[in-house]
CSV table of all heavy atoms in Angstrom, one decimal:
chain,number,residue,atom,x,y,z
A,18,MET,N,151.9,173.2,-88.5
A,18,MET,CA,151.2,173.1,-87.3
A,18,MET,C,151.1,171.7,-86.7
A,18,MET,O,150.6,170.8,-87.4
A,18,MET,CB,149.8,173.7,-87.4
A,18,MET,CG,149.2,174.3,-86.2
A,18,MET,SD,147.8,175.3,-86.5
A,18,MET,CE,146.5,174.2,-86.0
A,19,SER,N,151.7,171.5,-85.6
A,19,SER,CA,151.6,170.1,-85.0
A,19,SER,C,151.2,170.1,-83.6
A,19,SER,O,151.9,170.3,-82.7
A,19,SER,CB,153.0,169.4,-85.1
A,19,SER,OG,153.9,170.2,-84.4
A,20,LYS,N,149.9,170.0,-83.4
A,20,LYS,CA,149.3,169.9,-82.1
A,20,LYS,C,149.5,168.5,-81.6
A,20,LYS,O,149.4,167.5,-82.3
A,20,LYS,CB,147.8,170.2,-82.1
A,20,LYS,CG,147.5,171.7,-82.4
A,20,LYS,CD,146.0,171.9,-82.4
A,20,LYS,CE,145.3,171.4,-83.6
A,20,LYS,NZ,143.9,171.7,-83.6
A,21,LYS,N,149.7,168.3,-80.3
A,21,LYS,CA,149.9,167.0,-79.7
A,21,LYS,C,148.6,166.5,-79.1
A,21,LYS,O,147.8,167.3,-78.5
A,21,LYS,CB,150.9,167.1,-78.5
A,21,LYS,CG,152.3,166.7,-79.0
A,21,LYS,CD,152.5,165.2,-79.1
A,21,LYS,CE,153.9,164.9,-79.6
A,21,LYS,NZ,154.1,163.4,-79.7
A,22,LEU,N,148.3,165.3,-79.4
A,22,LEU,CA,147.1,164.7,-78.8
A,22,LEU,C,147.2,164.6,-77.3
A,22,LEU,O,148.3,164.3,-76.8
A,22,LEU,CB,146.9,163.3,-79.3
A,22,LEU,CG,146.1,163.1,-80.6
A,22,LEU,CD1,146.2,161.6,-81.0
A,22,LEU,CD2,144.7,163.6,-80.5
A,23,LYS,N,146.2,164.9,-76.6
A,23,LYS,CA,146.2,164.7,-75.1
A,23,LYS,C,146.0,163.2,-74.8
A,23,LYS,O,145.2,162.6,-75.6
A,23,LYS,CB,145.0,165.5,-74.5
A,23,LYS,CG,145.2,167.0,-74.5
A,23,LYS,CD,144.0,167.7,-74.0
A,23,LYS,CE,144.1,169.2,-74.2
A,23,LYS,NZ,142.8,169.9,-74.0
A,24,SER,N,146.6,162.7,-73.8
A,24,SER,CA,146.4,161.3,-73.5
A,24,SER,C,144.9,161.1,-73.0
A,24,SER,O,144.3,162.0,-72.4
A,24,SER,CB,147.3,160.9,-72.3
A,24,SER,OG,147.0,161.6,-71.2
A,25,GLY,N,144.4,159.9,-73.4
A,25,GLY,CA,143.1,159.6,-73.0
A,25,GLY,C,142.0,160.3,-73.9
A,25,GLY,O,140.8,160.2,-73.6
A,26,SER,N,142.4,160.9,-75.0
A,26,SER,CA,141.5,161.6,-75.7
A,26,SER,C,141.0,160.9,-77.0
A,26,SER,O,140.2,161.5,-77.7
A,26,SER,CB,142.1,163.0,-76.1
A,26,SER,OG,143.2,162.8,-76.9
A,27,LEU,N,141.5,159.7,-77.3
A,27,LEU,CA,141.2,159.1,-78.5
A,27,LEU,C,139.7,158.9,-78.7
A,27,LEU,O,139.2,159.1,-79.8
A,27,LEU,CB,141.9,157.7,-78.6
A,27,LEU,CG,142.3,157.2,-80.0
A,27,LEU,CD1,143.2,158.2,-80.7
A,27,LEU,CD2,142.9,155.9,-79.9
A,28,CYS,N,139.0,158.5,-77.7
A,28,CYS,CA,137.5,158.3,-77.8
A,28,CYS,C,136.7,159.5,-78.0
A,28,CYS,O,135.6,159.5,-78.5
A,28,CYS,CB,137.0,157.5,-76.5
A,28,CYS,SG,137.6,155.8,-76.4
A,29,LYS,N,137.3,160.7,-77.7
A,29,LYS,CA,136.6,161.9,-77.8
A,29,LYS,C,136.9,162.7,-79.1
A,29,LYS,O,136.4,163.8,-79.2
A,29,LYS,CB,136.9,162.8,-76.6
A,29,LYS,CG,136.4,162.2,-75.3
A,29,LYS,CD,136.8,163.0,-74.1
A,29,LYS,CE,136.3,162.4,-72.8
A,29,LYS,NZ,137.0,163.0,-71.6
A,30,LEU,N,137.8,162.1,-79.9
A,30,LEU,CA,138.2,162.9,-81.1
A,30,LEU,C,137.0,163.1,-82.0
A,30,LEU,O,136.2,162.2,-82.3
A,30,LEU,CB,139.2,162.1,-81.9
A,30,LEU,CG,140.6,162.0,-81.2
A,30,LEU,CD1,141.5,161.2,-82.1
A,30,LEU,CD2,141.2,163.4,-81.0
A,31,GLY,N,137.0,164.3,-82.6
A,31,GLY,CA,136.0,164.6,-83.7
A,31,GLY,C,136.6,164.4,-85.0
A,31,GLY,O,137.8,164.1,-85.1
A,32,LYS,N,135.9,164.6,-86.1
A,32,LYS,CA,136.4,164.4,-87.4
A,32,LYS,C,137.6,165.3,-87.8
A,32,LYS,O,138.5,164.9,-88.4
A,32,LYS,CB,135.3,164.5,-88.4
A,32,LYS,CG,134.3,163.3,-88.4
A,32,LYS,CD,133.2,163.5,-89.3
A,32,LYS,CE,132.2,162.3,-89.2
A,32,LYS,NZ,131.0,162.4,-90.0
A,33,CYS,N,137.5,166.5,-87.3
A,33,CYS,CA,138.6,167.5,-87.6
A,33,CYS,C,139.9,167.0,-86.9
A,33,CYS,O,141.0,167.2,-87.4
A,33,CYS,CB,138.2,168.9,-87.1
A,33,CYS,SG,136.8,169.5,-88.0
A,34,ASP,N,139.7,166.5,-85.6
A,34,ASP,CA,140.9,166.1,-84.9
A,34,ASP,C,141.6,164.9,-85.6
A,34,ASP,O,142.8,164.9,-85.6
A,34,ASP,CB,140.5,165.6,-83.5
A,34,ASP,CG,139.9,166.7,-82.7
A,34,ASP,OD1,140.4,167.8,-82.7
A,34,ASP,OD2,138.9,166.5,-82.0
A,35,ILE,N,140.9,164.0,-86.2
A,35,ILE,CA,141.5,162.9,-86.9
A,35,ILE,C,142.4,163.4,-88.0
A,35,ILE,O,143.5,162.9,-88.1
A,35,ILE,CB,140.4,162.0,-87.4
A,35,ILE,CG1,139.6,161.3,-86.3
A,35,ILE,CG2,141.0,160.9,-88.3
A,35,ILE,CD1,138.3,160.6,-86.7
A,36,LYS,N,142.0,164.4,-88.7
A,36,LYS,CA,142.8,164.9,-89.8
A,36,LYS,C,144.0,165.6,-89.3
A,36,LYS,O,145.1,165.5,-89.7
A,36,LYS,CB,142.0,165.9,-90.7
A,36,LYS,CG,142.6,166.1,-92.0
A,36,LYS,CD,141.6,167.0,-92.9
A,36,LYS,CE,142.2,167.3,-94.2
A,36,LYS,NZ,141.3,168.2,-95.0
A,37,ASP,N,143.8,166.4,-88.2
A,37,ASP,CA,144.9,167.2,-87.6
A,37,ASP,C,146.0,166.3,-87.0
A,37,ASP,O,147.2,166.7,-86.9
A,37,ASP,CB,144.4,168.1,-86.5
A,37,ASP,CG,143.6,169.3,-87.0
A,37,ASP,OD1,143.7,169.5,-88.3
A,37,ASP,OD2,143.0,170.0,-86.2
A,38,HIS,N,145.6,165.2,-86.5
A,38,HIS,CA,146.6,164.3,-85.7
A,38,HIS,C,146.8,163.0,-86.5
A,38,HIS,O,147.2,162.0,-85.8
A,38,HIS,CB,146.0,164.0,-84.3
A,38,HIS,CG,145.8,165.2,-83.5
A,38,HIS,ND1,146.8,166.0,-83.0
A,38,HIS,CD2,144.6,165.9,-83.2
A,38,HIS,CE1,146.3,167.0,-82.3
A,38,HIS,NE2,145.0,167.0,-82.4
A,39,TRP,N,146.7,163.0,-87.8
A,39,TRP,CA,146.8,161.8,-88.5
A,39,TRP,C,148.0,160.9,-88.2
A,39,TRP,O,147.9,159.7,-87.9
A,39,TRP,CB,146.7,162.1,-90.0
A,39,TRP,CG,146.7,160.9,-90.9
A,39,TRP,CD1,147.7,160.4,-91.6
A,39,TRP,CD2,145.6,159.9,-91.0
A,39,TRP,NE1,147.3,159.2,-92.2
A,39,TRP,CE2,146.0,158.9,-91.8
A,39,TRP,CE3,144.3,159.9,-90.4
A,39,TRP,CZ2,145.2,157.8,-92.1
A,39,TRP,CZ3,143.5,158.8,-90.7
A,39,TRP,CH2,143.9,157.8,-91.6
A,40,LYS,N,149.2,161.5,-88.3
A,40,LYS,CA,150.4,160.7,-88.1
A,40,LYS,C,150.5,160.1,-86.7
A,40,LYS,O,150.9,159.0,-86.5
A,40,LYS,CB,151.7,161.5,-88.4
A,40,LYS,CG,151.9,161.7,-89.9
A,40,LYS,CD,153.2,162.4,-90.2
A,40,LYS,CE,153.4,162.5,-91.7
A,40,LYS,NZ,154.6,163.3,-92.0
A,41,GLU,N,150.1,160.9,-85.8
A,41,GLU,CA,150.1,160.4,-84.4
A,41,GLU,C,149.1,159.3,-84.2
A,41,GLU,O,149.4,158.3,-83.5
A,41,GLU,CB,149.8,161.6,-83.4
A,41,GLU,CG,150.3,161.4,-82.0
A,41,GLU,CD,150.1,162.6,-81.2
A,41,GLU,OE1,149.7,163.7,-81.7
A,41,GLU,OE2,150.4,162.5,-80.0
A,42,LEU,N,148.0,159.4,-84.8
A,42,LEU,CA,146.9,158.4,-84.8
A,42,LEU,C,147.4,157.1,-85.4
A,42,LEU,O,147.1,156.0,-84.9
A,42,LEU,CB,145.6,158.9,-85.4
A,42,LEU,CG,144.9,159.9,-84.6
A,42,LEU,CD1,143.8,160.5,-85.5
A,42,LEU,CD2,144.3,159.3,-83.4
A,43,VAL,N,148.1,157.2,-86.5
A,43,VAL,CA,148.6,156.0,-87.1
A,43,VAL,C,149.6,155.3,-86.2
A,43,VAL,O,149.5,154.0,-86.0
A,43,VAL,CB,149.4,156.3,-88.4
A,43,VAL,CG1,150.2,155.1,-89.0
A,43,VAL,CG2,148.4,156.8,-89.5
A,44,GLU,N,150.5,156.0,-85.5
A,44,GLU,CA,151.4,155.4,-84.5
A,44,GLU,C,150.6,154.7,-83.4
A,44,GLU,O,151.0,153.6,-82.9
A,44,GLU,CB,152.3,156.5,-84.0
A,44,GLU,CG,153.4,156.9,-85.0
A,44,GLU,CD,154.2,158.0,-84.4
A,44,GLU,OE1,154.3,158.2,-83.2
A,44,GLU,OE2,154.8,158.8,-85.3
A,45,ILE,N,149.6,155.4,-82.9
A,45,ILE,CA,148.8,154.9,-81.8
A,45,ILE,C,148.0,153.6,-82.1
A,45,ILE,O,147.9,152.7,-81.3
A,45,ILE,CB,147.9,156.0,-81.2
A,45,ILE,CG1,148.7,157.1,-80.6
A,45,ILE,CG2,146.9,155.4,-80.2
A,45,ILE,CD1,147.9,158.3,-80.3
A,46,THR,N,147.5,153.6,-83.4
A,46,THR,CA,146.6,152.5,-83.7
A,46,THR,C,147.2,151.4,-84.5
A,46,THR,O,146.6,150.3,-84.5
A,46,THR,CB,145.4,153.1,-84.5
A,46,THR,OG1,145.9,153.7,-85.7
A,46,THR,CG2,144.6,154.1,-83.7
A,47,GLN,N,148.3,151.5,-85.2
A,47,GLN,CA,148.7,150.5,-86.1
A,47,GLN,C,149.2,149.2,-85.4
A,47,GLN,O,149.2,148.1,-85.9
A,47,GLN,CB,149.8,151.0,-87.1
A,47,GLN,CG,151.1,151.4,-86.4
A,47,GLN,CD,152.1,151.9,-87.5
A,47,GLN,OE1,151.9,151.8,-88.7
A,47,GLN,NE2,153.2,152.4,-87.0
A,48,LYS,N,149.7,149.3,-84.1
A,48,LYS,CA,150.0,148.2,-83.3
A,48,LYS,C,149.1,148.1,-82.1
A,48,LYS,O,149.5,147.9,-81.0
A,48,LYS,CB,151.5,148.2,-82.9
A,48,LYS,CG,152.4,148.1,-84.1
A,48,LYS,CD,153.9,148.2,-83.7
A,48,LYS,CE,154.8,148.0,-84.9
A,48,LYS,NZ,156.2,148.3,-84.5
A,49,SER,N,147.8,148.2,-82.4
A,49,SER,CA,146.8,148.2,-81.3
A,49,SER,C,146.8,146.9,-80.5
A,49,SER,O,146.8,145.8,-81.0
A,49,SER,CB,145.4,148.5,-81.8
A,49,SER,OG,145.4,149.7,-82.5
A,50,CYS,N,146.8,147.1,-79.2
A,50,CYS,CA,146.6,146.0,-78.2
A,50,CYS,C,145.3,146.1,-77.5
A,50,CYS,O,145.0,145.1,-76.7
A,50,CYS,CB,147.8,146.0,-77.2
A,50,CYS,SG,149.4,146.0,-78.0
A,51,PHE,N,144.6,147.2,-77.6
A,51,PHE,CA,143.4,147.4,-76.9
A,51,PHE,C,142.3,147.9,-77.8
A,51,PHE,O,142.6,148.7,-78.8
A,51,PHE,CB,143.6,148.4,-75.8
A,51,PHE,CG,144.6,148.0,-74.8
A,51,PHE,CD1,146.0,148.4,-74.9
A,51,PHE,CD2,144.3,147.2,-73.7
A,51,PHE,CE1,146.9,147.9,-74.0
A,51,PHE,CE2,145.2,146.7,-72.8
A,51,PHE,CZ,146.6,147.1,-72.9
A,52,LEU,N,141.1,147.5,-77.5
A,52,LEU,CA,139.9,148.0,-78.2
A,52,LEU,C,138.9,148.6,-77.2
A,52,LEU,O,138.7,148.0,-76.2
A,52,LEU,CB,139.3,146.8,-79.0
A,52,LEU,CG,138.1,147.1,-79.9
A,52,LEU,CD1,138.5,148.0,-81.1
A,52,LEU,CD2,137.5,145.8,-80.4
A,53,CYS,N,138.4,149.7,-77.5
A,53,CYS,CA,137.4,150.3,-76.7
A,53,CYS,C,136.0,149.6,-76.9
A,53,CYS,O,135.5,149.5,-78.0
A,53,CYS,CB,137.2,151.8,-76.9
A,53,CYS,SG,136.0,152.5,-75.8
A,54,THR,N,135.5,149.1,-75.8
A,54,THR,CA,134.2,148.3,-75.9
A,54,THR,C,133.0,149.2,-76.0
A,54,THR,O,131.9,148.8,-76.3
A,54,THR,CB,134.1,147.4,-74.7
A,54,THR,OG1,134.1,148.2,-73.5
A,54,THR,CG2,135.2,146.4,-74.6
A,55,LYS,N,133.2,150.5,-75.8
A,55,LYS,CA,132.1,151.4,-75.9
A,55,LYS,C,132.1,152.1,-77.3
A,55,LYS,O,131.1,152.4,-77.9
A,55,LYS,CB,132.3,152.5,-74.8
A,55,LYS,CG,131.1,153.4,-74.6
A,55,LYS,CD,131.3,154.4,-73.5
A,55,LYS,CE,130.3,155.4,-73.5
A,55,LYS,NZ,130.7,156.5,-72.5
A,56,CYS,N,133.3,152.5,-77.8
A,56,CYS,CA,133.4,153.3,-79.0
A,56,CYS,C,134.0,152.6,-80.2
A,56,CYS,O,134.1,153.2,-81.3
A,56,CYS,CB,134.3,154.5,-78.7
A,56,CYS,SG,134.0,155.3,-77.1
A,57,ALA,N,134.5,151.4,-80.0
A,57,ALA,CA,135.1,150.6,-81.1
A,57,ALA,C,136.4,151.3,-81.6
A,57,ALA,O,136.7,151.0,-82.8
A,57,ALA,CB,134.1,150.3,-82.2
A,58,ARG,N,137.1,152.1,-80.8
A,58,ARG,CA,138.3,152.6,-81.3
A,58,ARG,C,139.5,151.7,-80.7
A,58,ARG,O,139.3,151.1,-79.7
A,58,ARG,CB,138.5,154.0,-80.7
A,58,ARG,CG,137.7,155.0,-81.5
A,58,ARG,CD,137.7,156.4,-80.8
A,58,ARG,NE,137.3,157.5,-81.7
A,58,ARG,CZ,136.1,157.9,-81.9
A,58,ARG,NH1,135.1,157.3,-81.3
A,58,ARG,NH2,135.9,158.9,-82.7
A,59,SER,N,140.6,151.7,-81.4
A,59,SER,CA,141.7,150.9,-80.9
A,59,SER,C,142.9,151.7,-80.7
A,59,SER,O,143.1,152.8,-81.2
A,59,SER,CB,142.0,149.8,-81.9
A,59,SER,OG,142.5,150.3,-83.1
A,60,ALA,N,143.8,151.2,-79.8
A,60,ALA,CA,145.1,151.9,-79.5
A,60,ALA,C,146.1,150.9,-78.9
A,60,ALA,O,145.7,149.8,-78.4
A,60,ALA,CB,144.8,153.0,-78.4
A,61,ASN,N,147.4,151.4,-78.9
A,61,ASN,CA,148.4,150.5,-78.3
A,61,ASN,C,148.6,150.9,-76.8
A,61,ASN,O,149.4,150.3,-76.1
A,61,ASN,CB,149.7,150.7,-79.0
A,61,ASN,CG,150.2,152.1,-79.1
A,61,ASN,OD1,149.7,153.0,-78.4
A,61,ASN,ND2,151.3,152.4,-79.8
A,62,ASP,N,147.8,151.8,-76.3
A,62,ASP,CA,147.9,152.2,-74.9
A,62,ASP,C,146.5,152.4,-74.4
A,62,ASP,O,145.6,153.1,-74.9
A,62,ASP,CB,148.6,153.6,-74.9
A,62,ASP,CG,148.8,154.1,-73.4
A,62,ASP,OD1,148.2,153.5,-72.5
A,62,ASP,OD2,149.4,155.1,-73.3
A,63,LYS,N,146.2,151.6,-73.3
A,63,LYS,CA,144.8,151.6,-72.8
A,63,LYS,C,144.4,152.9,-72.3
A,63,LYS,O,143.2,153.2,-72.1
A,63,LYS,CB,144.6,150.4,-71.8
A,63,LYS,CG,145.4,150.6,-70.5
A,63,LYS,CD,145.1,149.4,-69.7
A,63,LYS,CE,145.9,149.4,-68.3
A,63,LYS,NZ,145.6,148.2,-67.5
A,64,LYS,N,145.3,153.8,-71.9
A,64,LYS,CA,144.9,155.1,-71.4
A,64,LYS,C,144.3,156.0,-72.5
A,64,LYS,O,143.7,157.0,-72.2
A,64,LYS,CB,146.2,155.8,-70.9
A,64,LYS,CG,146.7,155.2,-69.6
A,64,LYS,CD,148.0,155.9,-69.2
A,64,LYS,CE,148.7,155.1,-68.1
A,64,LYS,NZ,150.2,155.2,-68.2
A,65,ARG,N,144.4,155.6,-73.7
A,65,ARG,CA,143.8,156.3,-74.8
A,65,ARG,C,142.3,156.0,-75.0
A,65,ARG,O,141.7,156.7,-75.9
A,65,ARG,CB,144.5,156.0,-76.2
A,65,ARG,CG,146.0,156.3,-76.2
A,65,ARG,CD,146.1,157.8,-76.5
A,65,ARG,NE,147.5,158.2,-76.7
A,65,ARG,CZ,147.9,159.4,-76.9
A,65,ARG,NH1,147.0,160.4,-76.8
A,65,ARG,NH2,149.2,159.7,-77.0
A,66,LEU,N,141.8,155.0,-74.3
A,66,LEU,CA,140.4,154.6,-74.5
A,66,LEU,C,139.6,154.7,-73.2
A,66,LEU,O,140.2,154.6,-72.1
A,66,LEU,CB,140.4,153.1,-75.0
A,66,LEU,CG,141.3,152.8,-76.2
A,66,LEU,CD1,141.4,151.3,-76.4
A,66,LEU,CD2,140.7,153.5,-77.5
A,67,CYS,N,138.3,154.9,-73.3
A,67,CYS,CA,137.5,155.1,-72.1
A,67,CYS,C,137.1,153.8,-71.5
A,67,CYS,O,136.9,153.6,-70.3
A,67,CYS,CB,136.3,156.0,-72.4
A,67,CYS,SG,135.2,155.4,-73.6
A,68,LYS,N,136.9,152.7,-72.4
A,68,LYS,CA,136.5,151.4,-71.9
A,68,LYS,C,137.4,150.3,-72.6
A,68,LYS,O,136.9,149.6,-73.4
A,68,LYS,CB,135.0,151.1,-72.2
A,68,LYS,CG,134.1,152.0,-71.5
A,68,LYS,CD,133.8,151.6,-70.1
A,68,LYS,CE,132.7,152.5,-69.4
A,68,LYS,NZ,132.6,152.2,-68.0
A,69,PRO,N,138.7,150.3,-72.3
A,69,PRO,CA,139.6,149.5,-73.0
A,69,PRO,C,139.5,148.0,-72.6
A,69,PRO,O,139.2,147.6,-71.5
A,69,PRO,CB,141.0,150.0,-72.5
A,69,PRO,CG,140.8,150.6,-71.2
A,69,PRO,CD,139.4,151.1,-71.2
A,70,ALA,N,139.7,147.1,-73.6
A,70,ALA,CA,139.8,145.7,-73.4
A,70,ALA,C,140.9,145.2,-74.3
A,70,ALA,O,141.1,145.6,-75.4
A,70,ALA,CB,138.5,145.0,-73.9
A,71,ALA,N,141.8,144.3,-73.7
A,71,ALA,CA,142.9,143.8,-74.4
A,71,ALA,C,142.4,142.9,-75.5
A,71,ALA,O,141.4,142.2,-75.4
A,71,ALA,CB,143.8,143.0,-73.4
A,72,ILE,N,143.1,143.0,-76.7
A,72,ILE,CA,142.8,142.2,-77.8
A,72,ILE,C,144.0,141.3,-78.3
A,72,ILE,O,145.1,141.7,-77.9
A,72,ILE,CB,142.3,143.0,-79.0
A,72,ILE,CG1,143.2,144.1,-79.4
A,72,ILE,CG2,140.9,143.6,-78.7
A,72,ILE,CD1,142.8,144.9,-80.6
B,118,ZN,ZN1,135.9,154.8,-75.8
């Protein structure tokens, strides 16, 4: 089963989602250029975060 993450959904992920989308999350976060100033999540695409800041 391989569900695709919706864009802009990283900040809204629950614990179950993290396990379901593990490989995709690794790709999104391992070369992070942005950090969410509200949720402390990181991503390589600012569209994945609700309050992105470049790092
Ligand atoms: Zn956020």
Side-chain angles (χ1 to χ4, degrees):
M18 208 165 102
S19 59
K20 290 184 285 181
K21 267 280 180 182
L22 273 174
K23 290 174 189 170
S24 67
S26 63
L27 211 59
C28 288
K29 292 173 184 170
L30 288 181
K32 287 178 180 173
C33 295
D34 296 318
I35 293 168
K36 199 175 179 184
D37 284 352
H38 300 287
W39 183 252
K40 284 188 176 174
E41 204 173 352
L42 287 168
V43 169
E44 286 174 21
I45 292 167
T46 58
Q47 68 181 350
K48 290 178 182 173
S49 296
C50 305
F51 299 95
L52 182 68
C53 182
T54 58
K55 190 181 170 191
C56 318
R58 284 170 160 88
S59 65
N61 60 9
D62 182 352
K63 64 181 179 181
K64 290 176 192 147
R65 296 282 186 186
L66 307 169
C67 62
K68 297 278 184 188
I72 53 174

